[in-house]
Amino acid sequence: MKALQMLQNAPHCDLSTLPEPEVAVLRADAATPANEDDRDWMGYRADLSPGQLTDALSGWWRCDPDRVAAGGLLVVTVSEFVVAVLTDLAAPQHNGGTRQTLRYKFTKARLAGWLTDLTDPSAACYPADQNAAERLLVQPLLGARLPSVSGGPIAYVPAGPAAADKGDS
């Protein structure tokens, strides 16, 4: 019961402090085994290793890769709760598909922060070599609510001053 109350009272993300006017949000499902050569899992699962989690979240997604990269972050949510954040989104790879089957993978993506327990904010993890500025940017996002709407797995939400102006933060 206490865990449910914590989730109900989770704050909404304040995206007004992000440097870019928009951020991409990956609306992930619970991880399922992937029948692919480059990853074992697809989606989010708290007990995956950082490498497995990065692979599970970094692609293959139907999206506008330039728009994702421009935001600097790929915020990962499960049921509107931020569970991970990826950075280093430049140079995506595509699957060579047609317009309707084209998907992208962010092959250089790096896990900037992730949760191992949504009901315990102290369960946030960060890379050992992460700089302080990136941690300060990512830390307030983890565990917060970030509603988003999209016809696919990737949504785009206002951030920076645009988020403050719209009252979305």
Side-chain angles (χ1 to χ4, degrees):
M1 187 62 134
K2 183 178 177 184
L4 181 57
Q5 288 174 335
M6 287 181 69
L7 292 173
Q8 287 176 328
N9 295 325
H12 279 80
C13 275
D14 178 5
L15 301 179
S16 67
T17 61
L18 297 181
E20 301 301 329
E22 181 178 72
V23 67
V25 177
L26 169 61
R27 299 163 335 119
D29 286 331
T32 57
N35 295 322
E36 301 170 9
D37 293 335
D38 61 344
R39 62 180 172 176
D40 296 324
W41 298 94
M42 180 172 46
Y44 175 81
R45 200 168 110 181
D47 63 347
L48 294 178
S49 73
Q52 288 175 314
L53 193 54
T54 301
D55 289 343
L57 300 173
S58 61
W60 295 92
W61 309 119
R62 188 173 185 172
C63 64
D64 178 339
D66 295 331
R67 197 171 171 188
V68 172
L73 301 173
L74 180 57
V75 179
V76 181
T77 62
V78 172
S79 297
E80 85 176 29
F81 292 97
V82 177
V83 294
V85 178
L86 296 172
T87 61
D88 296 341
L89 305 168
Q93 180 181 21
H94 64 80
N95 66 353
T98 65
R99 182 172 183 255
Q100 289 155 336
T101 62
L102 188 61
R103 303 286 187 273
Y104 293 90
K105 179 176 178 92
F106 297 90
T107 57
K108 297 182 188 233
R110 185 175 54 78
L111 201 54
W114 67 99
L115 292 179
T116 57
D117 183 343
L118 188 58
T119 62
D120 181 5
S122 67
C125 299
Y126 306 93
D129 61 349
Q130 185 177 48
N131 68 52
E134 184 178 84
R135 184 172 295 194
L136 286 173
L137 189 67
V138 171
Q139 194 171 23
L141 302 175
L142 295 172
R145 287 177 178 257
L146 181 55
S148 59
V149 177
S150 173
I154 303 283
Y156 305 93
V157 297
D165 293 343
K166 289 185 169 239
D168 292 342
S169 56

PDB file of all heavy atoms in Angstrom, residues 15-21 159-166:
ATOM      1  N   LEU A  15      10.588  19.930 -16.901  1.00  0.00           N
ATOM      2  CA  LEU A  15      11.442  19.935 -18.085  1.00  0.00           C
ATOM      3  C   LEU A  15      11.922  21.336 -18.445  1.00  0.00           C
ATOM      4  O   LEU A  15      12.674  21.509 -19.393  1.00  0.00           O
ATOM      5  CB  LEU A  15      10.685  19.327 -19.269  1.00  0.00           C
ATOM      6  CG  LEU A  15      10.205  17.887 -19.082  1.00  0.00           C
ATOM      7  CD1 LEU A  15       9.440  17.421 -20.316  1.00  0.00           C
ATOM      8  CD2 LEU A  15      11.361  16.956 -18.783  1.00  0.00           C
ATOM      9  N   SER A  16      11.522  22.331 -17.684  1.00  0.00           N
ATOM     10  CA  SER A  16      11.887  23.710 -18.002  1.00  0.00           C
ATOM     11  C   SER A  16      13.379  23.965 -17.823  1.00  0.00           C
ATOM     12  O   SER A  16      13.908  24.924 -18.378  1.00  0.00           O
ATOM     13  CB  SER A  16      11.079  24.692 -17.149  1.00  0.00           C
ATOM     14  OG  SER A  16      11.447  24.567 -15.785  1.00  0.00           O
ATOM     15  N   THR A  17      14.074  23.117 -17.080  1.00  0.00           N
ATOM     16  CA  THR A  17      15.505  23.319 -16.872  1.00  0.00           C
ATOM     17  C   THR A  17      16.367  22.647 -17.938  1.00  0.00           C
ATOM     18  O   THR A  17      17.576  22.833 -17.958  1.00  0.00           O
ATOM     19  CB  THR A  17      15.921  22.777 -15.490  1.00  0.00           C
ATOM     20  OG1 THR A  17      15.635  21.374 -15.447  1.00  0.00           O
ATOM     21  CG2 THR A  17      15.197  23.499 -14.371  1.00  0.00           C
ATOM     22  N   LEU A  18      15.752  21.891 -18.832  1.00  0.00           N
ATOM     23  CA  LEU A  18      16.517  21.239 -19.893  1.00  0.00           C
ATOM     24  C   LEU A  18      16.950  22.277 -20.917  1.00  0.00           C
ATOM     25  O   LEU A  18      16.234  23.241 -21.177  1.00  0.00           O
ATOM     26  CB  LEU A  18      15.703  20.134 -20.547  1.00  0.00           C
ATOM     27  CG  LEU A  18      15.307  18.968 -19.632  1.00  0.00           C
ATOM     28  CD1 LEU A  18      14.528  17.916 -20.415  1.00  0.00           C
ATOM     29  CD2 LEU A  18      16.531  18.337 -18.984  1.00  0.00           C
ATOM     30  N   PRO A  19      18.107  22.077 -21.539  1.00  0.00           N
ATOM     31  CA  PRO A  19      18.641  23.098 -22.442  1.00  0.00           C
ATOM     32  C   PRO A  19      17.958  23.195 -23.801  1.00  0.00           C
ATOM     33  O   PRO A  19      18.032  24.239 -24.447  1.00  0.00           O
ATOM     34  CB  PRO A  19      20.108  22.684 -22.613  1.00  0.00           C
ATOM     35  CG  PRO A  19      20.141  21.227 -22.318  1.00  0.00           C
ATOM     36  CD  PRO A  19      19.053  20.978 -21.304  1.00  0.00           C
ATOM     37  N   GLU A  20      17.298  22.155 -24.249  1.00  0.00           N
ATOM     38  CA  GLU A  20      16.681  22.153 -25.579  1.00  0.00           C
ATOM     39  C   GLU A  20      15.171  22.387 -25.470  1.00  0.00           C
ATOM     40  O   GLU A  20      14.570  22.104 -24.433  1.00  0.00           O
ATOM     41  CB  GLU A  20      16.963  20.837 -26.290  1.00  0.00           C
ATOM     42  CG  GLU A  20      18.440  20.543 -26.472  1.00  0.00           C
ATOM     43  CD  GLU A  20      19.177  21.607 -27.276  1.00  0.00           C
ATOM     44  OE1 GLU A  20      18.559  22.236 -28.163  1.00  0.00           O
ATOM     45  OE2 GLU A  20      20.370  21.816 -27.011  1.00  0.00           O
ATOM     46  N   PRO A  21      14.526  22.868 -26.544  1.00  0.00           N
ATOM     47  CA  PRO A  21      13.095  23.176 -26.487  1.00  0.00           C
ATOM     48  C   PRO A  21      12.176  21.956 -26.550  1.00  0.00           C
ATOM     49  O   PRO A  21      10.976  22.080 -26.355  1.00  0.00           O
ATOM     50  CB  PRO A  21      12.867  24.073 -27.701  1.00  0.00           C
ATOM     51  CG  PRO A  21      13.978  23.740 -28.637  1.00  0.00           C
ATOM     52  CD  PRO A  21      15.148  23.331 -27.784  1.00  0.00           C
ATOM     53  N   ALA A 159      10.203  21.175 -23.818  1.00  0.00           N
ATOM     54  CA  ALA A 159      11.150  21.268 -22.712  1.00  0.00           C
ATOM     55  C   ALA A 159      11.720  22.684 -22.710  1.00  0.00           C
ATOM     56  O   ALA A 159      11.318  23.515 -23.515  1.00  0.00           O
ATOM     57  CB  ALA A 159      12.271  20.228 -22.889  1.00  0.00           C
ATOM     58  N   GLY A 160      12.646  22.944 -21.819  1.00  0.00           N
ATOM     59  CA  GLY A 160      13.259  24.253 -21.730  1.00  0.00           C
ATOM     60  C   GLY A 160      12.215  25.318 -21.483  1.00  0.00           C
ATOM     61  O   GLY A 160      11.174  25.071 -20.881  1.00  0.00           O
ATOM     62  N   PRO A 161      12.465  26.525 -21.972  1.00  0.00           N
ATOM     63  CA  PRO A 161      11.496  27.623 -21.784  1.00  0.00           C
ATOM     64  C   PRO A 161      10.121  27.300 -22.356  1.00  0.00           C
ATOM     65  O   PRO A 161       9.105  27.746 -21.835  1.00  0.00           O
ATOM     66  CB  PRO A 161      12.138  28.800 -22.519  1.00  0.00           C
ATOM     67  CG  PRO A 161      13.602  28.498 -22.512  1.00  0.00           C
ATOM     68  CD  PRO A 161      13.701  26.999 -22.590  1.00  0.00           C
ATOM     69  N   ALA A 162      10.049  26.489 -23.407  1.00  0.00           N
ATOM     70  CA  ALA A 162       8.752  26.118 -23.995  1.00  0.00           C
ATOM     71  C   ALA A 162       7.909  25.363 -22.994  1.00  0.00           C
ATOM     72  O   ALA A 162       6.695  25.529 -22.943  1.00  0.00           O
ATOM     73  CB  ALA A 162       8.962  25.268 -25.260  1.00  0.00           C
ATOM     74  N   ALA A 163       8.524  24.514 -22.168  1.00  0.00           N
ATOM     75  CA  ALA A 163       7.785  23.770 -21.160  1.00  0.00           C
ATOM     76  C   ALA A 163       7.283  24.705 -20.069  1.00  0.00           C
ATOM     77  O   ALA A 163       6.152  24.570 -19.600  1.00  0.00           O
ATOM     78  CB  ALA A 163       8.657  22.680 -20.543  1.00  0.00           C
ATOM     79  N   ALA A 164       8.105  25.658 -19.684  1.00  0.00           N
ATOM     80  CA  ALA A 164       7.686  26.603 -18.644  1.00  0.00           C
ATOM     81  C   ALA A 164       6.549  27.476 -19.154  1.00  0.00           C
ATOM     82  O   ALA A 164       5.604  27.766 -18.425  1.00  0.00           O
ATOM     83  CB  ALA A 164       8.876  27.463 -18.230  1.00  0.00           C
ATOM     84  N   ASP A 165       6.637  27.915 -20.424  1.00  0.00           N
ATOM     85  CA  ASP A 165       5.598  28.778 -21.000  1.00  0.00           C
ATOM     86  C   ASP A 165       4.254  28.059 -21.098  1.00  0.00           C
ATOM     87  O   ASP A 165       3.213  28.651 -20.922  1.00  0.00           O
ATOM     88  CB  ASP A 165       6.001  29.264 -22.390  1.00  0.00           C
ATOM     89  CG  ASP A 165       7.190  30.204 -22.331  1.00  0.00           C
ATOM     90  OD1 ASP A 165       7.497  30.723 -21.230  1.00  0.00           O
ATOM     91  OD2 ASP A 165       7.826  30.412 -23.387  1.00  0.00           O
ATOM     92  N   LYS A 166       4.287  26.755 -21.394  1.00  0.00           N
ATOM     93  CA  LYS A 166       3.052  25.997 -21.564  1.00  0.00           C
ATOM     94  C   LYS A 166       2.526  25.466 -20.238  1.00  0.00           C
ATOM     95  O   LYS A 166       1.444  24.906 -20.182  1.00  0.00           O
ATOM     96  CB  LYS A 166       3.284  24.815 -22.517  1.00  0.00           C
ATOM     97  CG  LYS A 166       3.479  25.242 -23.937  1.00  0.00           C
ATOM     98  CD  LYS A 166       3.583  24.017 -24.810  1.00  0.00           C
ATOM     99  CE  LYS A 166       3.518  24.432 -26.253  1.00  0.00           C
ATOM    100  NZ  LYS A 166       2.431  23.815 -26.954  1.00  0.00           N
TER     101      LYS A 166
END
